[in-house]
Amino acid sequence: MGILEGKRILVTGVLTEASFAFHVAKLAQQEGATVVLTGFGRMSLVERIAKRLPSPAPVVELDVTSTEQLDSLAARVGEHVDGLDGVVHSIGFAPQTALGGSFLETPFEDVATAVHASTYSLKSLTMATLPLMPGGGSVVGMDFDAQVAWPGYDWMGVAKAGLEATARYLAKYLGEKNVRVNLISAGPVKTMAARSIPGFSDFEGVWNDRAPLGWDLSDPEPGARGVVALLSDWFPKTTGEVIHVDGGVHAVGA
């Protein structure tokens, strides 16, 4: 038996086989979970990728900035499973003007877009799926170290700092419902989203030089394993936490 045997998990953010979310969904299935995916925009692509999982997974459309889609999410997910035990938030977006060194010139409208899609969405996704978790559950979000300012990451870094604070407040308010909310702060991986960040290649040298345990930018599995562990029953009293899966970079100096 796997550590997610019998659990029902909703995974957002699957776009390609290289994405963290795909590896989370794959590993969750291998550990015994029933998985439902969400997709946005390129639905045919997500549906095609879903068929490459060990067991083809159903896909429901979700724009996390759409109140209408959020309001109907529980009912649409409920067409495939009779409830949820876990939700994975692997969603982030920032306009190009909010990245790449233009921090001082970014207009508020673009900052608001980044925060809405990347930060507030953790709260809106959690609340949209809460009716499917009457007995409690685990919400896990994907983070990137927000303790320092990274070159070119700019307002997405601010959004990730907000994501960490949002997770703590959700943990505070949902603890009485036995819902745990945690984040995995993973090292960089060459996903489609990462390639859209100007200067992403600069991260490679940082992790190669500083990670005490080493780091492979082509391997999302360590981060995926962290997510699956938090979705399981092996962390029953852990909430509001940011767990680093980055080879140890966050813990050491230059």
Side-chain angles (χ1 to χ4, degrees):
M1 291 179 62
I3 62 173
L4 295 184
E5 192 69 34
K7 292 194 179 295
R8 304 148 299 175
I9 307 295
L10 180 70
V11 180
T12 66
V14 172
L15 186 57
T16 71
E17 288 180 86
S19 65
F20 270 121
F22 178 85
H23 285 266
V24 169
K26 178 181 177 181
L27 188 57
Q29 286 187 342
Q30 291 172 342
E31 291 296 323
T34 298
V35 172
V36 178
L37 307 180
T38 74
F40 169 64
R42 301 166 70 178
M43 290 297 294
S44 60
L45 174 60
V46 180
E47 289 165 355
R48 188 160 65 248
I49 294 298
K51 294 176 182 177
R52 298 177 185 172
L53 290 167
S55 298
V59 181
V60 298
E61 186 174 11
L62 177 63
D63 174 357
V64 288
T65 66
S66 167
T67 300
E68 180 181 358
Q69 289 195 12
L70 287 164
D71 287 346
S72 66
L73 181 63
R76 291 184 290 122
V77 172
E79 295 175 3
H80 304 285
V81 288
D82 58 359
L84 289 174
D85 302 287
V87 175
V88 178
H89 177 280
S90 185
I91 299 170
F93 172 77
Q96 284 298 303
T97 56
L99 301 163
S102 58
F103 183 89
L104 300 179
E105 289 77 39
T106 307
F108 175 73
E109 292 76 12
D110 291 346
V111 174
T113 296
V115 171
H116 192 177
S118 310
T119 306
Y120 186 79
S121 60
L122 178 62
K123 179 264 182 185
S124 55
L125 175 65
T126 300
M127 296 308 294
T129 54
L130 194 60
L132 296 171
M133 298 186 284
S138 175
V139 177
V140 184
M142 295 304 303
D143 189 22
F144 186 74
D145 188 11
Q147 299 177 93
V148 297
W150 293 100
Y153 206 46
D154 293 357
W155 287 101
M156 184 57 91
V158 175
K160 290 298 187 183
L163 183 75
E164 295 177 2
T166 301
R168 289 190 288 269
Y169 277 99
L170 285 170
K172 171 182 171 61
Y173 288 112
L174 295 179
E176 64 183 13
K177 297 182 183 298
N178 198 33
V179 172
R180 297 173 283 125
V181 184
N182 296 288
L183 301 178
I184 289 291
S185 181
V189 172
K190 292 179 179 177
T191 62
M192 181 177 291
R195 293 191 192 97
S196 69
I197 301 171
F200 176 80
S201 59
D202 295 339
F203 290 161
E204 185 167 357
V206 173
W207 260 260
N208 285 345
D209 295 341
R210 289 176 51 191
L213 294 176
W215 188 256
D216 183 352
L217 276 82
S218 65
D219 184 12
E221 186 160 332
R225 284 176 176 262
V227 173
V228 168
L230 286 173
L231 289 170
S232 78
D233 294 330
W234 286 96
F235 286 86
K237 295 298 180 183
T238 298
T239 194
E241 188 63 83
V242 178
I243 296 179
H244 291 81
V245 183
D246 65 352
V249 167
H250 75 283
V252 300

